[in-house]
Amino acid sequence: MRIGSGVDVHAFGPGDHVMLGGVRVAHTQGVLAHSDGDVLLHALTDALLGAAGLGDIGQHFRDTDPRWKGADSAEFVRAVLGMLRARGLRVGNADLTLLAERPKLGPVREAIRARIAELLEVSPEAVNVKATTTEKLGFLGRAEGLAAQAVVLLLEVS
Ligand code: MG
């Protein structure tokens, strides 16, 4: 068994939606990012890499690389899953937390859970998605951006 954690932050910018866990969520702003700026999938990618001892998302998917301009962050998760498979590892479970005042997670929680389960090739029961605010404190409290944290457990394929 191997455990990994990941954190990601993106500032809000112009736009009308944000990507959260591979799901398009309507919002009054977008996020500033080289890729699609999906904080949940970026934190998840880092957690997967961390659990496998493979560094971080920036080493594998440089934010200056034109290949990743506007990229669907699901591509990062899929690519890392391939690296894990090659090392005889699979996902046991994943627990993700969105830190934001808004958008609210409730209406899209199950869609995100299903999408992440699909990407990780596990059942939805192996994925948990939750959210918290920061009680109006700091940059998250002022709704200047979004943050996410992910923890994953990897299992050796028997
Ligand atoms: Mg990011």
Side-chain angles (χ1 to χ4, degrees):
M1 274 189 290
R2 301 181 65 111
I3 193 166
S5 74
V7 170
D8 193 46
V9 175
H10 281 278
F12 282 129
D16 62 3
H17 72 279
V18 295
M19 293 302 295
L20 291 176
V23 174
R24 184 185 169 106
V25 180
H27 189 52
T28 52
Q29 298 172 93
V31 295
L32 301 174
H34 183 65
S35 67
D36 67 4
D38 190 323
V39 285
L40 283 173
L41 293 190
H42 292 184
L44 177 63
T45 300
D46 256 352
L48 293 166
L49 288 168
L54 290 171
D56 66 41
I57 190 170
Q59 291 175 276
H60 295 273
F61 313 100
R62 294 203 175 281
D63 66 6
T64 50
D65 189 333
R67 255 188 311 171
W68 310 123
K69 179 118 183 64
D72 174 357
S73 296
E75 286 182 45
F76 305 152
V77 178
R78 275 195 217 100
V80 172
L81 214 66
M83 295 177 208
L84 301 184
R85 205 177 292 119
R87 287 163 177 78
L89 295 167
R90 65 182 175 88
V91 175
N93 72 296
D95 184 22
L96 294 93
T97 307
L98 175 71
L99 296 101
E101 291 293 330
R102 47 186 182 271
K104 291 297 176 199
L105 181 68
V108 289
R109 185 198 300 260
E110 286 308 314
I112 292 171
R113 185 186 199 190
R115 178 63 178 140
I116 289 176
E118 183 185 16
L119 286 171
L120 296 179
E121 300 172 8
V122 297
S123 70
E125 291 71 38
V127 177
N128 190 69
V129 183
K130 58 192 190 295
T132 184
T133 69
T134 56
E135 299 290 340
K136 309 262 191 247
L137 295 172
F139 70 93
L140 294 167
R142 293 187 297 271
E144 294 170 2
L146 294 166
Q149 182 186 48
V151 175
V152 302
L153 191 72
L154 298 183
L155 304 174
E156 277 89 26
V157 176
S158 49

